[in-house]
Amino acid sequence: MTTDPRFAAAGSAALTTTQGRTIIADAVVAKIAGIATREIDGVYDVGGGTARAVGALRDRIPGARVNHSQGVAVEVGEKQAAIDIGIVAEYGVALHELAAGIRRNIITAVERMTGLEVTEVNITVYDVMLFDDTETGPDPDLRPRVQ
């Protein structure tokens, strides 16, 4: 096992016990938070405009994996973590209740899986997705009237 101080300085969490040290990388916490966010009903997507555009391009590549940490920024210390996440919500959802649900789910998942104390979860709602008839299929009134 390495005790190289560069690992802790490079944005990792060090959980130290008398039996050794556990280092949890920022990317792990970000992935857990991203997955926990997507589990909540009312979340259409995670990330702002740029992150979502990059994710959409990645989705078109055959064999590409979903980036679960897209739209998530974390700051991880030795015992605590702070998380910033951006979302796109579904229209009609109470945004303050959605944010509270996301916050609870992230805190529960991160603390349970890592042992870190989550000090804050900041949520930015970038957009609201409106579902209408044009997204479920072509509108019959828009069909050509003559053939």
Side-chain angles (χ1 to χ4, degrees), residues 42-81:
V43 174
Y44 176 76
D45 204 356
V46 178
T50 305
R52 289 177 38 227
V54 171
L57 289 174
R58 184 183 316 100
D59 291 345
R60 292 183 180 173
I61 299 170
R65 295 183 186 180
V66 173
N67 180 5
H68 293 288
S69 60
Q70 166 187 306
V72 182
V74 299
E75 189 176 329
V76 181
E78 288 186 26
K79 298 177 183 174
Q80 298 177 325

Side-chain angles (χ1 to χ4, degrees), residues 70-108:
Q70 166 187 306
V72 182
V74 299
E75 189 176 329
V76 181
E78 288 186 26
K79 298 177 183 174
Q80 298 177 325
I83 300 164
D84 297 324
I85 191 154
I87 66 160
V88 176
E90 294 176 0
Y91 178 78
V93 174
L95 298 177
H96 63 287
E97 292 174 5
L98 178 62
I102 291 168
R103 193 171 283 113
R104 274 191 307 271
N105 209 41
I106 288 174
I107 291 170
T108 299

Side-chain angles (χ1 to χ4, degrees), residues 1 37 118:
M1 179 177 141
T37 299
V118 177

Side-chain angles (χ1 to χ4, degrees), residues 130-140:
L130 175 64
F131 297 102
D132 59 15
D133 292 340
T134 59
E135 293 185 36
T136 59
D139 186 347

